[in-house]
Amino acid sequence: MPSPYREIFAAPGSRSFSAAGFLGRMPLSMMGIGIVTMVSQLTGRYGLAGALSATLAISAAVLGPQISRLVDRHGQRRVLRPATLVCVVAVAGLLLSAQQRWPDWTLFVFAAAVGCVPSVGSMVRARWAAIHSGSRELHTAYSFESVVDEVCFIFGPILSIGLSTAWFPEAGPLLAAVFLAVGVLWLTAQRSTEPVPHPREHHQGGSALRSPGLQVLVVTFVAMGTIFGTVDVVTVAFADEQGHKAAASLVLSVYALGSCLAGVVFGLLRLKGEPARRWLLGVCAMAVSMIPLQLVGSLPFLAVALFVAGLSIAPTMVTTMALVEQHVPRAKLTEGMTWTSTGLAVGVALGSSAAGWVVDGAGAAAGYVVCVVAGALSAAVAFLGYRRLRTPAPQRPGAPVPQARGGSDAHGEEDRNEEQHEQHDDRDKGRVA
């Protein structure tokens, strides 16, 4: 392992919580496609399968930030375990209702409840921020987590679809639920690296989404998610037109592989300058990389074009996390990170729907036009919001850096003790007055 990555894993407990986070994130790429595969196999109704997948995405987009807000206030262990229990029970109900042919409305009820799945990736990144806050190692840690995300998206869909078709229809969502339960239990069992929750008084001002900088990031991520959703749908349709539908999974894996390799290299760099400028360049690079897709005529050329397009994904995602840390109060960091994931999920749902409509009306090749439009929108939002991102939001006075439980930062502990003594003195003076 290159030296910068060895340095981040020198922190006690870092290997364990990162491994637990990998397992807990597998449902991100397995659950939606697993539900589509299961329902289409059991009922043959692709419309119902797509509607259930969209219900899950919308529910996760609504509930995810609320769960993360509770985590910031009460801690990961107290919130993630009940949320995961609800999600696992909902998955069991969904599998049972599909297998027993219960009324369609029961499927939608359980799919909506599955949406309370916690954003495990945000929880892991919050732990890295608690350990390496303010240091250059945090950039490498975020890069590593982006690589882990891409690995999940490379193998998750293949595993989910493969099991559901080779074993039994419910196998994909079932395994995704198992991964979630094991990953969250393992992660929350590690108390020493869990960020210390912030009391209610540090959460004044409402949601983290009130930050102007975070608003720019989330809206841009909606457009970026539209690119991802469109690429998935149109690539499958294009491969089907070419007579090699099964090759679509390999082509999409190449897309994720480009991002994965770029993330590894990006984590080794010691970059200077404004993160906002790097982020703007990354978004523009993603937009420009969509243009060659309009010229594809074969699957090999498509694979090469998607590999090149994937090179800009991970660096942009890593820089986004750094910007979230700058523009969101420390007491709301987990919620802020989850909002970016929410924007991405909403965009994926929009892209999938728009791409399907275009493919049905004009063919697969025309579907990549949606990618160009979404890329142009993301670049436009990035340019318009660049000023907001250049000025970090002032951190709320008295809000401590999110230290890990049982951390070894003695100076930080002394500073916190001094702040507590000053607060006590202020209260005493107020009583005397």
Side-chain angles (χ1 to χ4, degrees):
M1 185 177 292
S3 178
Y5 290 102
R6 287 202 304 269
E7 291 176 5
I8 64 171
F9 284 109
S14 57
R15 296 175 185 267
S16 295
F17 75 69
S18 185
F22 171 72
L23 287 180
R25 264 178 289 186
M26 287 298 289
L28 182 66
S29 62
M30 293 180 63
M31 189 66 74
I33 193 66
I35 290 174
V36 170
T37 306
M38 175 189 70
V39 174
S40 61
Q41 281 189 280
L42 290 175
T43 67
R45 300 166 60 187
Y46 283 91
L48 175 62
L52 289 172
S53 179
T55 300
L56 170 60
I58 294 173
S59 177
V62 173
L63 297 178
Q66 312 311 319
I67 293 173
S68 294
R69 183 186 299 182
L70 292 174
V71 167
D72 284 329
R73 292 184 179 183
H74 304 290
Q76 294 186 3
R77 183 186 181 92
R78 292 181 60 185
V79 177
L80 295 189
R81 290 191 171 187
T84 301
L85 178 61
V86 173
C87 181
V88 171
V89 171
V91 171
L94 179 62
L95 302 186
L96 184 62
S97 58
Q99 199 272 335
Q100 295 295 322
R101 305 294 197 278
W102 289 354
D104 290 350
W105 66 266
T106 60
L107 297 173
F108 285 97
V109 169
F110 285 122
V114 174
C116 71
V117 56
S119 178
V120 178
S122 299
M123 308 303 159
V124 175
R125 287 178 172 89
R127 293 191 180 223
W128 283 121
I131 295 174
H132 296 301
S133 179
S135 67
R136 65 181 186 179
E137 283 79 13
L138 187 59
H139 164 76
T140 305
Y142 284 161
S143 298
F144 178 80
E145 293 304 323
S146 292
V147 172
V148 173
D149 286 339
E150 297 303 334
V151 171
C152 290
F153 278 99
I154 290 174
F155 295 105
I158 297 175
L159 187 61
S160 184
I161 296 173
L163 291 178
S164 290
T165 54
W167 286 3
F168 52 93
E170 300 87 355
L174 178 62
L175 183 61
V178 172
F179 277 143
L180 176 66
V182 173
V184 169
L185 288 176
W186 187 8
L187 179 68
T188 54
Q190 302 174 49
R191 302 298 301 278
S192 63
T193 56
E194 179 182 350
V196 176
H198 299 277
R200 181 177 296 272
E201 56 266 23
H202 290 155
H203 293 265
Q204 295 177 2
S207 170
L209 194 57
R210 293 192 176 187
S211 164
L214 183 61
Q215 292 171 6
V216 174
L217 296 174
V218 172
V219 174
T220 306
F221 262 46
V222 172
M224 289 169 57
T226 303
I227 294 176
F228 300 151
T230 301
V231 167
D232 288 348
V233 172
V234 179
T235 299
V236 173
F238 184 82
D240 192 17
E241 285 187 357
Q242 297 289 313
H244 301 284
K245 187 175 182 179
S249 61
L250 297 177
V251 175
L252 291 174
S253 295
V254 171
Y255 187 35
L257 179 62
S259 176
C260 185
L261 294 177
V264 172
V265 175
F266 194 68
L268 298 176
L269 303 178
R270 297 304 184 195
L271 302 173
K272 297 180 180 180
E274 295 181 349
R277 183 174 301 173
R278 291 198 299 271
W279 179 82
L280 179 61
L281 292 175
V283 173
C284 292
M286 289 184 64
V288 172
S289 68
M290 295 296 104
I291 297 176
L293 297 181
Q294 313 307 306
L295 307 175
V296 296
S298 65
L299 285 175
F301 182 79
L302 176 60
V304 173
L306 286 178
F307 177 81
V308 174
L311 295 176
S312 59
I313 296 176
T316 306
M317 298 295 185
V318 173
T319 310
T320 299
M321 293 300 109
L323 288 172
V324 170
E325 192 181 17
Q326 288 185 358
H327 288 270
V328 173
R330 297 186 182 109
K332 303 176 182 179
L333 183 59
T334 308
E335 181 193 349
M337 292 180 175
T338 304
W339 272 115
T340 60
S341 301
T342 295
L344 208 61
V346 171
V348 168
L350 293 174
S352 300
S353 302
W357 179 77
V358 173
V359 168
D360 288 340
Y368 286 117
V369 174
V370 180
C371 294
V372 175
V373 174
L377 288 175
S378 65
V381 174
F383 271 110
L384 293 174
Y386 177 61
R387 276 192 171 186
R388 292 186 178 187
L389 293 175
R390 292 188 64 184
T391 306
Q395 297 294 337
R396 194 171 127 30
V401 176
Q403 299 282 333
R405 294 180 186 271
S408 58
D409 189 351
H411 295 293
E413 186 64 34
E414 292 174 1
D415 293 340
R416 288 193 294 274
N417 290 336
E418 290 177 2
E419 290 177 0
Q420 292 174 357
H421 287 311
E422 290 173 0
Q423 292 172 358
H424 286 305
D425 291 340
D426 292 341
R427 286 195 293 267
D428 292 339
K429 291 177 183 177
R431 283 195 292 268
V432 170

